[in-house]
Amino acid sequence: MTSAGIAASAGPLFAAPLFAVAIGLVGILLSPLAELLIARTLPRLGGLPGVRTRITTAALTGLLCGTLALRLGMEWSLPAFLLLAVLGVQLARIDLAHHLLPNPLVLTLLLAGLVLLLLGSLASAEWAELLRAAAGAALLFVVFLILALISPSGIGMGDVKLAAPVGLYLGYLGWGQLFYGGALGFVLGGILSVVLIRLKRANLRSEVAFGPSMLAAALGTVLLAS
């Protein structure tokens, strides 16, 4: 094989990892920007988090964005899922620290995600996924609302609202992903509760943040089952 042929075959081999690294760096940059915007628009949260937390969230956001880019490639839906990674990490951070899922952030994740998925559908001329995403958002929201009414101590209204954007993304992927991603959130929530009790950071009567488990389940489903 000639040197030109080797270069041509090596191009696609290295393109995907380089693309993933570039998107990961973008995620690292978007994380502090998101924290700054949140601190300015939601001052009741107490301003910017500590340096260690900011480094951790930036690293996690970059890793998720890079992995999503590697998993999905240059799909039209990629920007929507990058939004899920950026805001998902911030929502999880806030819920862990304050036991709160701010309505503006949840609504932004839902509406901006819907708009980005709509633009992707316009570009690809594929509408079935978008319709399924909308149905998934409504379905998971109703399921969580029923669970919250049955057991208010187990599911908070913030979790109910977060179920809508989580259902949007999972529904976009498929009905199976919606079911397993929704169920996985409860599994991860149970594991987190047990771990916190073992570490004596919670007791059986303590409220354990459920938002991080929902978001981790959604992102894990995207990465493993998309």
Side-chain angles (χ1 to χ4, degrees), residues 79-133:
F81 286 97
L82 294 180
L83 175 70
L84 174 62
V86 174
L87 287 187
V89 170
Q90 295 302 322
L91 281 166
R93 170 184 68 81
I94 293 169
D95 200 17
L96 286 171
H98 304 283
H99 289 279
L100 176 69
L101 292 165
N103 289 335
L105 291 184
V106 175
L107 190 60
T108 298
L109 181 59
L110 175 63
L111 297 182
L114 183 59
V115 170
L116 290 173
L117 292 176
L118 173 61
L119 293 176
S121 295
L122 285 171
S124 62
E126 295 289 343
W127 297 100
E129 291 87 351
L130 184 65
L131 293 175
R132 191 173 59 232

Side-chain angles (χ1 to χ4, degrees), residues 35 38 42 44-45 47 49 53 57 86-103 105-106 109 144 154-163 166 185 188-189 192-193 196 201 206-216:
E35 288 167 344
I38 291 170
L42 297 171
R44 61 195 176 106
L45 296 179
T53 300
T57 53
V86 174
L87 287 187
V89 170
Q90 295 302 322
L91 281 166
R93 170 184 68 81
I94 293 169
D95 200 17
L96 286 171
H98 304 283
H99 289 279
L100 176 69
L101 292 165
N103 289 335
L105 291 184
V106 175
L109 181 59
F144 269 71
I155 300 292
M157 290 309 298
D159 303 323
V160 174
K161 297 169 188 175
L162 182 61
V166 168
L188 294 180
L192 178 61
S193 298
L196 290 177
R201 295 184 181 180
S206 298
E207 179 185 354
V208 177
F210 189 48
S213 300
M214 296 172 63
L215 293 162

Side-chain angles (χ1 to χ4, degrees), residues 39-52:
R40 289 186 175 182
T41 56
L42 297 171
R44 61 195 176 106
L45 296 179
L48 290 171
V51 175
R52 182 179 299 179

Side-chain angles (χ1 to χ4, degrees), residues 134-208:
L139 181 60
L140 203 62
F141 175 82
V142 170
V143 169
F144 269 71
L145 179 59
I146 293 172
L147 292 175
L149 294 175
I150 294 173
S151 178
S153 60
I155 300 292
M157 290 309 298
D159 303 323
V160 174
K161 297 169 188 175
L162 182 61
V166 168
L168 177 79
Y169 284 98
L170 292 176
Y172 184 86
L173 297 177
W175 294 115
Q177 286 87 339
L178 177 64
F179 173 79
Y180 290 112
L184 182 60
F186 290 97
V187 174
L188 294 180
I191 294 174
L192 178 61
S193 298
V194 171
V195 170
L196 290 177
I197 291 172
R198 290 281 186 176
L199 294 175
K200 296 183 180 180
R201 295 184 181 180
N203 54 55
L204 293 177
R205 296 183 179 181
S206 298
E207 179 185 354
V208 177

